[in-house]
Amino acid sequence: MTNELPAPLIAPDGAPYWRAAAEERLEIQCCAACGTYRFPPGHLCRACGSDAADWRRVSGNGAIYSFTIVHRAPTPEFRARVPYVVALIDLAEGPRMMANIVGPGALECAIGDGVSVTFEARGPDAKVPQFRLAED
Amino acid sequence: MLRNKVVIAGVGESDIGKVPELSGLGLNAQAAKRALDDAGLALSDVDGLITAYSMTEPYFMLGSVLAEYLGIEPSFCASMTVGGATPAAALHHAAMAIATGQAKTVLVTAGENRATGFSRDAAVQALTQVGHPYFENPYGPLIPAFYAMVARRYMFEYGTTRDQLSAVCVQSREHAVRHPASPMTERITAEDVANSKPIAEPLHMLDCCLISDSAGALVVTAADRADEAPHGAAWLLGVGEGHTHEHIVSAPSLTRFGAVQSGETAYAMAGLGPKDMDFAELYDCFSIVPIIEAEELGLAERGAGGELFTSGRAAIEGALPLNTHGGLLSYAQAGASGGMHGIVEAVRQLRGREGARQVKRHETALVHNEGGILSSHCTLVLANQRR
């Protein structure tokens, strides 16, 4: 993983997410009324409609719901990384997010494999959450 | 209730494949002229216009832009963007406009010059725009990667196989080869598919749709004018939509989608069920997709969709012909054109004059369009007469 990849775009809904990620914490927005996690973040709870929310640090542990090994990169920046894994991760706390599986054994990953969060620098100030296969 | 309220009185397609001499608007205009000729009508008869979107040309209000380009001043005009579901959804909107007296004759077009309108790298980059800009695109997905994750999970839960994916592609190509306008003229084998370049595993190059220059058009009018259609009218019996998400990260499931809802709505309106469908034109941007749709729409049990293709049931001579023109995989795909070619093909098959490609039973047709990552769905039930 290199710094040549683009820094994440940051919009108001997700600003706290990216501030936390830059400090290597995985924080997910959570409804203050009913406790449902909101990912991607938004103004209203998709379960109860409340506009009250806070941000909670989550464990960073999860499991692979599905994945693919990409051989044809979408942009020149990603071309140097092929083949790489794009996966959907179900966090232990419930929400589903996308990330690359990085580190040892990534290309041999399988549905259901346990993963834990790690952080990858992008640009001068930003970091994006990534996942590596759990130790066992 | 739209059953028996409107008909498709004319259909047309632009030249298909690589058409560098026409702009995207030009392709839409060519398809529109051919559809109007087919309907025995002229541009001056059109008082409603719905078109889709373009990623190749720098226009904003594409409905107004196309009206301007065609030299018409409709009283009902819009561009719609529900991805690949746009043509069927646009027909839905056109039908509502006609049924409520907002318009008499609505022209629906879709397509663009995606093969020659920009470079391949630009095309691939444009396709990444479907990813969530903030929470997916940092990870380098492209559209095949999203569908590959669907395929992987679907294969994991329902046992769909590599051979079944390949059979979809082989069947589509066999049908395309019989289409006089098809740019694909060579048959392929299951080995060709499995051995083609991996794009996003488990999907290979031949599991992915074409990138074409193409457009299609429909002329939609009130059912009481059906007899005026010189080449025969196709009746809209049922239509339904289902929209569950846009981005894959927010999909409620990768093994159950909105086609269940759109199909149930369309069948209920038509008063018909999956067993009443003589043939179907399913959306097939990737080989896994028509398998899932066949199951969601009740043409096969869950997990049994692949067997439609391996058993030959999906062949033109089979019990349930599917994607009789070759689909997006082997006929054409350009922006929103893919689903439009399925509707055009259904109308042509219902008329019964397609020669080597003609299905034997052609009284009822099922058409399904989907957009995004199986995000937005629209199902149509069409027939060759009022029912």
Side-chain angles (χ1 to χ4, degrees):
Chain A
M1 303 294 164
T2 71
N3 288 357
E4 292 162 17
L5 291 169
L9 295 174
I10 300 177
D13 286 336
Y17 175 91
W18 295 111
R19 273 200 298 274
E23 298 168 3
E24 304 207 345
R25 291 191 317 278
L26 184 60
E27 292 190 2
I28 305 287
Q29 191 185 34
C30 190
C31 177
C34 77
T36 303
Y37 282 98
R38 264 180 233 170
F39 189 86
H43 185 66
L44 301 177
C45 175
R46 297 173 187 106
C48 78
S50 170
D51 61 3
D54 50 38
W55 288 80
R56 293 191 192 167
R57 185 171 187 176
V58 295
S59 65
N61 298 323
I64 296 175
Y65 175 73
S66 193
F67 72 98
T68 178
I69 299 172
V70 174
H71 294 266
R72 178 76 169 89
T75 61
E77 294 81 21
F78 281 97
R79 204 161 289 154
R81 296 178 66 158
V82 296
Y84 56 90
V85 178
V86 175
L88 291 168
I89 310 297
D90 284 347
L91 295 175
E93 291 81 1
R96 178 172 297 162
M97 56 185 292
M98 182 176 288
N100 301 123
I101 305 296
V102 298
L107 292 173
E108 284 77 48
C109 70
I111 286 176
D113 280 355
V115 292
S116 59
V117 74
T118 180
F119 292 86
E120 176 186 300
R122 296 278 184 98
D125 308 315
K127 291 183 179 173
V128 299
Q130 296 282 29
F131 285 82
R132 6 174 112 245
L133 294 174
E135 292 298 316
D136 53 331
Chain B
M1 182 60 156
L2 292 169
R3 180 181 175 180
N4 288 325
K5 291 282 184 12
V6 307
V7 295
I8 301 168
V11 295
E13 290 173 324
S14 70
D15 294 348
I16 303 280
K18 283 191 164 54
V19 192
E21 65 276 20
L22 289 180
S23 66
L25 289 172
L27 291 166
N28 280 270
Q30 188 183 51
K33 176 172 171 47
R34 290 173 177 174
L36 286 162
D37 288 349
D38 186 54
L41 296 172
L43 275 170
S44 55
D45 295 309
V46 173
D47 60 354
L49 175 67
I50 310 178
T51 192
Y53 50 88
S54 172
M55 287 183 173
T56 57
E57 293 183 324
Y59 299 114
F60 176 44
M61 300 152 57
L62 203 61
S64 306
V65 169
L66 183 59
E68 169 187 289
Y69 188 88
L70 296 172
I72 60 174
E73 298 179 4
S75 55
F76 172 77
C77 182
S79 51
M80 280 185 67
T81 308
V82 280
T86 302
L91 173 58
H92 189 187
H93 286 233
M96 290 190 283
I98 291 164
T100 56
Q102 308 301 305
K104 284 192 168 64
T105 303
V106 181
L107 177 65
V108 178
T109 82
E112 62 187 56
N113 53 339
R114 194 165 273 192
T116 62
F118 47 25
S119 74
R120 181 155 294 262
D121 279 352
V124 171
Q125 286 198 29
L127 297 182
T128 65
Q129 293 172 1
V130 171
H132 195 294
Y134 306 111
F135 295 100
E136 294 179 350
N137 286 352
Y139 301 107
L142 65 171
I143 291 187
F146 298 126
Y147 280 92
M149 288 189 277
V150 172
R152 174 97 57 188
R153 186 73 200 187
Y154 211 84
M155 293 164 93
F156 177 80
E157 288 199 25
Y158 290 111
T160 306
T161 65
R162 171 69 260 173
D163 284 348
Q164 291 172 342
L165 299 182
S166 298
V168 172
C169 308
V170 171
Q171 185 68 82
S172 298
R173 183 62 62 87
E174 169 63 32
H175 292 172
V177 166
R178 303 190 204 181
H179 195 305
S182 168
M184 307 307 283
T185 55
E186 302 281 331
R187 290 180 173 79
I188 56 174
T189 67
E191 291 70 35
D192 292 335
V193 182
N195 295 331
S196 61
K197 213 166 48 170
I199 302 295
E201 293 178 53
L203 301 179
H204 291 240
M205 179 76 93
L206 291 176
D207 290 302
C208 305
C209 65
L210 304 172
I211 297 177
S212 316
D213 296 327
S214 79
L218 312 173
V219 177
V220 190
T221 191
D224 60 12
R225 296 170 69 193
D227 290 344
E228 300 167 25
H231 301 293
W235 294 68
L236 180 66
L237 299 187
V239 54
E241 299 188 27
H243 307 267
T244 55
H245 63 281
E246 157 64 343
H247 303 103
I248 194 172
V249 77
S250 297
S253 165
L254 294 194
T255 50
R256 183 186 162 95
F257 298 94
V260 173
Q261 182 188 357
S262 66
E264 285 173 354
T265 305
Y267 287 136
M269 190 185 292
L272 297 171
K275 289 189 168 50
D276 302 311
M277 298 298 106
D278 287 342
F279 66 96
E281 310 296 350
L282 304 177
Y283 201 81
D284 60 341
C285 47
F286 296 93
S287 55
I288 184 67
V289 175
I291 292 175
I292 294 174
E293 289 168 344
E295 297 173 15
E296 296 239 311
L297 296 168
L299 303 177
E301 297 293 317
R302 279 284 179 192
E307 291 161 24
L308 294 173
F309 297 90
T310 52
S311 67
R313 282 172 57 82
I316 283 169
E317 292 78 13
L320 182 64
L322 299 177
N323 295 6
T324 50
H325 58 316
L328 286 72
L329 286 169
S330 276
Y331 183 65
Q333 160 60 0
S337 84
M340 177 61 89
H341 296 303
I343 302 172
V344 169
E345 173 70 2
V347 172
R348 288 174 172 164
Q349 290 283 353
L350 288 169
R351 290 170 172 175
R353 295 188 289 269
E354 293 309 309
R357 218 171 72 252
Q358 180 61 48
V359 301
K360 195 186 276 180
R361 292 185 300 125
H362 54 90
E363 294 184 3
T364 56
L366 183 69
V367 182
H368 189 80
N369 287 184
E370 68 94 358
I373 315 302
L374 288 150
S375 315
S376 286
H377 297 262
C378 187
T379 309
L380 308 171
V381 177
L382 303 174
N384 64 353
Q385 59 186 334
R386 178 190 291 272
R387 290 173 75 107

